[in-house]
Amino acid sequence: MRPVLLVLLFIASAQAATAIGFDGRSSVVDRLPPLADLDSVILGSAAPPVIVGGLGVLLVDGSWLPVLTLAGGSTPDHLLVHGPLGNFELPLEAVAGWGDPVPAAPKSGDAVLVESGLLEGRVQSLRNGVLSFRSALDPEPLALPLANVRAARLGNAPRPPKGLRLHVTLDPARPGLDLVSTADGFALAAAPQVAVDGAVFGSLALRVEGGRRTYLSDLTPAKVQEDGLFDVVWPFTRDRALHGSPLRLGGILHAKGLVVHSAARLRWDLAGGYVRLRAITGISDDVAPEGDCVAVLRGDGRELWRARVRGGEAPRQLDLDLSGLATLELSVETGERFDIGDHFTLADAQLIRR
């Protein structure tokens, strides 16, 4: 009931909300059906927040929180965040890193970027705006004023979000932000004790996660056949590009998706449990404008969709009816230039349950 309470609280202030179902129909309502039955929700009609610059905080659930300035909080081991979503203190245990960009994760421990370069070691504490950092190169912990730390990557274990929540994209080039409900409205999924002013989201769509939506990349294929050419095989990847970089298609960052190199065939057992497949198709940005392949999707052996896909072309939306299908198969075949750059991508590939 708590997610529904979240929506009702904000409907009370905005007078109405727009509920969007998985069939694409939308309606303005004063009371919403259960969130699990909705694709997304739009609260109010105000202008969305303006994201200034690229500074932000990467949270342990993979969310990106845009910020303007960071400082030490009044509570030890907390960051004082000032940004488009308001001012609040964020516990370090909920933080994976910060900066523009956030440094790559070290093999172990933490990393901070200062004027002299990148230091690896352990963050011991944050008090009075000073980061205590123990580096293997220094006999004593370093006292680093937070203002002198350009970026950081903390070794906190990732905590993928679970349960019913709302996901909002504030910057297409960055990960989205996951929210949960509290008695007072919105809070960060990675730090439920941190409240966020929901009014700032304005006319942005908040997508319902953890309901009827399942991501294809979270399912294990029942069969994988990858042949490649010239004795070189690129195994398919989930939620990242084939080279290991973040998954980008048409300049947009996608947290979820599949990348499959020709020639390959993947099959999933659906057991009739899904009604739709939605995705964005194209050649991964990390190789475009290379790439020329033919992609085919079949359900129970029947062809549902076929496309010639070339690098540099605009991504295409895909929306297929899967009602009653026991299996789904994707085949990616080589095009005119052998398999050069054939990084076929199903970005944001979602299966909608019955």
Side-chain angles (χ1 to χ4, degrees):
M1 292 299 295
R2 293 178 67 81
V4 177
L5 173 62
L6 172 149
V7 176
L8 296 182
L9 285 171
F10 281 88
I11 292 177
S13 61
Q15 300 303 319
T18 301
I20 303 172
F22 286 105
D23 58 2
R25 297 179 182 178
S26 63
S27 58
V28 178
V29 296
D30 294 322
R31 292 293 184 269
L32 290 174
L35 287 186
D37 293 331
L38 296 180
D39 184 14
S40 57
V41 176
I42 299 175
L43 305 176
S45 57
V50 177
I51 308 301
V52 180
L55 181 62
V57 175
L58 182 64
L59 303 178
V60 291
D61 67 349
S63 293
W64 177 259
L65 179 66
V67 302
L68 300 177
T69 61
L70 288 172
S74 58
T75 304
D77 298 327
H78 280 64
L79 287 172
L80 177 61
V81 172
H82 167 62
L85 304 188
N87 303 323
F88 44 82
E89 293 198 2
L90 189 63
L92 283 182
E93 64 185 15
V95 175
W98 67 84
D100 181 24
V102 176
K107 292 182 179 180
S108 63
D110 309 315
V112 294
L113 180 63
V114 295
E115 186 175 359
S116 60
L118 190 68
L119 302 175
E120 294 190 2
R122 292 281 182 182
V123 171
Q124 295 189 312
S125 65
L126 173 60
R127 287 176 171 79
N128 300 319
V130 177
L131 202 65
S132 177
F133 187 82
R134 179 173 287 278
S135 167
L137 303 178
D138 297 281
E140 297 294 331
L142 301 174
L144 304 174
L146 197 60
N148 295 342
V149 178
R150 299 179 179 179
R153 185 63 185 253
L154 306 186
N156 293 329
R159 297 200 301 266
K162 298 179 180 179
L164 198 62
R165 61 198 183 278
L166 295 171
H167 181 87
V168 60
T169 298
L170 299 170
D171 181 349
R174 303 284 190 177
L177 183 66
D178 279 302
L179 306 165
V180 294
S181 67
T182 69
D184 300 318
F186 286 110
L188 300 177
Q193 70 272 43
V194 179
V196 179
D197 182 6
V200 303
F201 297 121
S203 58
L204 293 174
L206 282 71
R207 191 162 73 180
V208 178
E209 299 283 4
R212 291 174 55 196
R213 193 189 323 271
T214 297
Y215 289 97
L216 188 60
S217 59
D218 290 336
L219 300 184
T220 300
K223 183 178 180 180
V224 177
Q225 178 182 338
E226 295 173 313
D227 299 323
L229 291 180
F230 311 112
D231 296 324
V232 177
V233 174
W234 291 76
F236 80 97
T237 55
R238 312 183 198 201
D239 307 333
R240 58 185 176 87
L242 285 180
H243 294 134
S245 57
L247 179 55
R248 295 182 186 274
L249 187 62
I252 304 300
L253 177 67
H254 295 275
K256 307 295 292 183
L258 290 169
V259 183
V260 180
H261 198 285
S262 65
R265 182 170 294 183
L266 285 72
R267 192 193 76 217
W268 294 267
D269 290 338
L270 304 182
Y274 301 92
V275 295
R276 302 212 72 78
L277 168 65
R278 295 174 180 170
I280 305 170
T281 68
I283 298 293
S284 177
D285 284 4
D286 63 344
V287 293
E290 297 292 346
D292 177 10
C293 59
V294 176
V296 182
L297 282 163
R298 296 181 176 89
D300 293 348
R302 175 172 58 88
E303 187 171 303
L304 306 175
W305 175 85
R306 173 185 292 266
R308 182 74 172 270
V309 187
R310 296 180 174 89
E313 294 180 341
R316 308 176 202 175
Q317 296 283 341
L318 174 68
D319 191 346
L320 298 179
D321 184 358
L322 302 183
S323 300
L325 294 180
T327 63
L328 176 69
E329 182 181 273
L330 167 68
S331 65
V332 181
E333 306 299 336
T334 57
E336 294 178 348
R337 300 193 60 205
F338 301 104
D339 65 349
I340 298 173
D342 286 354
H343 295 205
F344 175 73
T345 301
L346 281 173
D348 202 31
Q350 314 163 27
L351 296 168
I352 309 303
R353 293 192 189 95
R354 288 191 303 181

